[in-house]
Amino acid sequence: MSLMDKLKGMLKGHEDQASKGVDKAGDYVDERTGNKYQSQVDTAQQKMKDELGGQDRDVPPHP
């Protein structure tokens, strides 16, 4: 069982909270780097949300 599988199991039923945590972490990284890597952080946030099952309702899914 991979680490991601364990995380998914622990977060099952709490996808909205996980999504908020991913957003907060990304905002923190953006703040600390002066938004220098904002596009990379946004991409990483979306991939984490996709993996954990949390859907960001403001951004359409990647093709």
Side-chain angles (χ1 to χ4, degrees), residues 22-39:
V22 169
D23 285 337
K24 266 186 128 171
D27 292 345
Y28 177 77
V29 171
D30 283 337
E31 179 185 317
R32 298 290 293 175
T33 61
N35 292 326
K36 185 175 181 181
Y37 304 104
Q38 187 174 11
S39 65

Side-chain angles (χ1 to χ4, degrees), residues 6-57:
K6 290 180 184 179
L7 282 172
K8 285 179 188 179
M10 291 183 343
L11 295 173
K12 189 171 185 157
H14 303 282
E15 290 85 5
D16 288 340
Q17 288 177 322
S19 179
K20 288 178 186 177
V22 169
D23 285 337
K24 266 186 128 171
D27 292 345
Y28 177 77
V29 171
D30 283 337
E31 179 185 317
R32 298 290 293 175
T33 61
N35 292 326
K36 185 175 181 181
Y37 304 104
Q38 187 174 11
S39 65
Q40 291 91 336
V41 170
D42 289 345
T43 301
Q45 284 177 304
Q46 190 60 46
K47 286 184 180 185
M48 280 301 295
K49 288 178 184 181
D50 291 345
E51 275 294 316
L52 296 176
Q55 292 296 321
D56 191 0
R57 291 160 183 85

